[in-house]
Amino acid sequence: MFLRSIYRRYAGADLAALEEYVDEKLSPLILDRMSPDAIRRIRQHRDAGHTTILMTGVIRPLTRPFEGSSTPSSPRNSRPTTTASAPGS
């Protein structure tokens, strides 16, 4: 139900504006809800050179908090680096 309300709210929205909103407003909220251990484990796999794939039912702009280009040392308020994405995303 939650995802459907998000999809309805942003149907026809400008993708660039939605991405900007996610980057500026939603990223901190999304990352603060993530388990620090989960972020740490993702970072460990990426640091080891493993390809990591995020499988989710949310629209791609909402995965932007996980696409950072650096590997921060703090598990909170951090963005693990994305090394692969699903075809067509």
Side-chain angles (χ1 to χ4, degrees):
M1 187 67 142
F2 172 74
L3 292 178
R4 287 183 192 161
S5 67
I6 295 287
Y7 299 152
R8 273 189 234 116
R9 180 175 181 182
Y10 293 103
D14 176 51
L15 181 59
L18 178 57
E19 289 175 342
E20 182 179 342
Y21 180 78
V22 169
D23 291 345
E24 293 178 5
K25 305 288 185 188
L26 293 182
S27 287
L29 300 172
I30 292 169
L31 291 171
D32 279 344
R33 295 179 61 97
M34 285 273 315
S35 159
D37 187 53
I39 292 175
R40 194 175 302 105
R41 291 183 62 157
I42 292 166
R43 184 179 301 114
Q44 289 170 344
H45 281 287
R46 290 177 176 173
D47 288 348
H50 302 154
T51 298
T52 56
I53 300 171
L54 174 63
M55 296 184 72
T56 180
V58 302
I59 56 176
R60 187 159 186 346
L62 295 178
T63 65
R64 289 178 64 82
F66 306 102
E67 296 178 356
S69 60
S70 63
T71 308
S73 59
S74 170
R76 289 280 180 183
N77 300 319
S78 59
R79 294 178 178 202
T81 306
T82 299
T83 56
S85 61
S89 58

